[in-house]
Amino acid sequence: MMEMMAADLGLQQSSGFYCQQFLRVPRTSWTQNCTLPGLSRSFLRKSSLSMSPSPQFISSPVPSLNGGFVPKRKSIHVMSPDLASPGLAVEFLDAWDDEYNGVIIDTACLPSTANAFASALRASVSNWKLKGKRGIWLKILSEQADLVPIAIQEGFDYHHADPGYVMLTYWIPNEPCLLPSSPSHQIGVAGFVINDKRKVLVVKEKCPCSCSGVWKLPTGYINKYEDIFSGVVREVKEETGVDTVFLEMVAFRHAHRVAFEKSDLLFACILKPLSSEIIVDEKEIQDAKWMPLGEFMEQPFYQEDHMSRKMIEICTAAHEDRYDGFTAQQLISRLDERLTYLYYKGSIQNL
């Protein structure tokens, strides 16, 4: 249910509750009309570098987890062409400009061999430096993984990785890097579901963490491209089988150095139950039930955990109409011309 890295590696919550895209501008092919200092006028686009036609691989054994030895993953030794030699021809990488005088390399057009990639990358970076470019973005797919150490050797740094690819960057100016950093936060949600009998929907998780054995609110991480309000409804449904509807977001907690040293945002939301039958997700949840609010708050854990207790008190106040949380309204933004959700507090008069 928790769809982020923490879920994949079995990390659990330790409390009682627990970017951006590039705007593609018209593409500029860097394979046209490009010259470098020291190259003759006969410098051509296509590569005729005098080097071996394929990478040289070296393999050595490494110990196996099961005993014995297994072949070590092949390492790539790339011959370094002398770009200053007259008459050499090289092919520059296909790329396009971004909005900030930077360059985005076209992943689909990367050379398939290590030597061709190394020479094209080196020549392209030199060319972009001459043109006053700033940041370079290089996305390498899993099937192109052998190109990663070459890019690192040429001065690229890791930015982030997702299933299927790794993103590398290169900052050209001799000044502090202004490229945006890698994603720094993960987003979680907690669902406060209370019925007409003032019973709260609570769960016990299967985890050896500090909240083991504690009755707590259903929580989890939202999925990629998922909104907060729909993510909390989904989490409650997956863990307990109870259908709900989102009413409002009432508070959020901001913590740092959680899973993988990332920061963590947890949004507490009020949900209205549409059903009452509980069907436990046995993969993650030990048990679930409807629990009287007073009994829930009297647990020793919530007497000691001031953060979690305060959030429950805010949720209770919102349920009793003593506190206004944030509702969600779908609006279109001129930034990306897309419908998105704005969360704001209470009603707005005369707007």
Side-chain angles (χ1 to χ4, degrees):
M1 294 164 58
M2 300 181 181
E3 299 297 333
M4 297 183 63
M5 295 185 296
D8 295 337
L9 297 184
L11 295 180
Q12 300 291 340
Q13 300 145 320
S14 59
S15 123
F17 276 91
Y18 144 135
C19 290
Q20 299 180 349
Q21 69 178 49
F22 293 111
L23 298 178
R24 296 182 65 153
V25 297
R27 177 176 297 193
T28 300
S29 175
W30 291 100
T31 60
Q32 299 177 1
N33 302 324
C34 298
T35 58
L36 292 175
L39 297 178
S40 69
R41 287 284 185 182
S42 61
F43 191 85
L44 303 176
R45 284 176 48 210
K46 294 296 182 180
S47 174
S48 62
L49 296 175
S50 57
M51 60 177 67
S52 58
S54 60
Q56 302 173 16
F57 298 106
I58 293 180
S59 178
S60 59
V62 294
S64 167
L65 293 177
N66 298 320
F69 291 84
V70 295
K72 182 179 179 181
R73 181 174 177 83
K74 57 191 178 183
S75 59
I76 303 175
H77 288 243
V78 181
M79 297 180 64
S80 299
D82 181 7
L83 293 180
S85 300
L88 276 180
V90 69
E91 181 178 2
F92 295 112
L93 296 175
D94 192 17
W96 62 89
D97 295 338
D98 65 18
E99 290 185 310
Y100 307 100
N101 196 30
V103 177
I104 303 172
I105 298 173
D106 190 347
T107 303
C109 297
L110 293 179
S112 58
T113 66
N115 283 324
F117 174 71
S119 60
L121 181 63
R122 188 175 300 117
S124 298
V125 170
S126 297
N127 185 52
W128 292 325
K129 288 180 178 179
L130 291 176
K131 291 180 176 292
K133 296 300 178 182
R134 297 172 67 79
I136 305 173
W137 296 87
L138 172 58
K139 180 179 181 180
I140 297 181
L141 305 180
S142 297
E143 55 267 30
Q144 303 166 319
D146 286 340
L147 304 181
V148 173
I150 301 173
I152 296 298
Q153 183 178 340
E154 293 300 321
F156 280 75
D157 291 319
Y158 291 102
H159 187 267
H160 70 274
D162 269 338
Y165 77 90
V166 61
M167 182 69 76
L168 306 177
T169 60
Y170 188 107
W171 182 247
I172 294 177
N174 186 23
E175 59 187 43
C177 180
L178 299 180
L179 294 176
S181 61
S182 61
S184 60
H185 285 67
Q186 54 191 8
I187 300 178
V189 287
F192 183 83
V193 186
I194 187 168
N195 62 20
D196 294 337
K197 299 178 182 179
R198 289 180 64 82
K199 290 186 175 181
V200 182
L201 182 62
V202 294
V203 300
K204 277 186 180 180
E205 291 190 347
K206 291 182 177 179
C207 68
C209 56
S210 60
C211 61
S212 177
V214 176
W215 290 104
K216 57 185 288 292
L217 301 183
T219 59
Y221 292 111
I222 65 172
N223 294 329
K224 191 174 183 179
Y225 307 131
E226 186 175 41
D227 290 297
I228 292 173
F229 76 92
S230 57
V232 68
V233 169
R234 174 188 53 77
E235 280 291 344
V236 170
K237 175 67 174 179
E238 290 179 354
E239 292 190 357
T240 69
V242 175
D243 294 309
T244 62
V245 61
F246 173 84
L247 295 180
E248 55 187 343
M249 187 268 288
V250 296
F252 68 89
R253 183 223 61 206
H254 194 190
H256 304 288
R257 297 184 179 276
V258 189
F260 305 103
E261 295 296 303
K262 298 295 184 181
S263 297
D264 185 278
L265 288 166
L266 178 71
F267 292 87
C269 303
I270 305 293
L271 306 178
K272 178 181 178 181
L274 300 178
S275 64
S276 59
E277 181 183 2
I278 293 176
I279 303 175
V280 173
D281 175 16
E282 296 181 352
K283 297 189 299 293
E284 292 192 24
I285 302 303
Q286 177 181 335
D287 200 2
K289 67 178 182 179
W290 293 97
M291 190 177 195
L293 178 59
E295 182 182 346
F296 175 59
M297 291 292 289
E298 289 171 1
Q299 293 182 93
F301 181 89
Y302 292 101
Q303 301 300 317
E304 301 170 1
D305 189 324
H306 302 294
M307 174 74 73
S308 297
R309 182 177 182 84
K310 175 60 69 174
M311 294 186 83
I312 296 294
E313 291 173 349
I314 294 172
C315 289
T316 303
H319 171 70
E320 297 172 350
D321 295 326
R322 296 185 289 109
Y323 176 87
D324 289 330
F326 291 79
T327 57
Q329 182 180 358
Q330 194 175 40
L331 301 167
I332 192 167
S333 171
R334 288 297 302 274
L335 293 177
D336 53 13
E337 300 297 336
R338 296 180 181 179
L339 282 172
T340 187
Y341 282 88
L342 175 68
Y343 293 83
Y344 58 88
K345 187 174 181 179
S347 60
I348 302 178
Q349 303 295 331
N350 302 320
L351 288 182

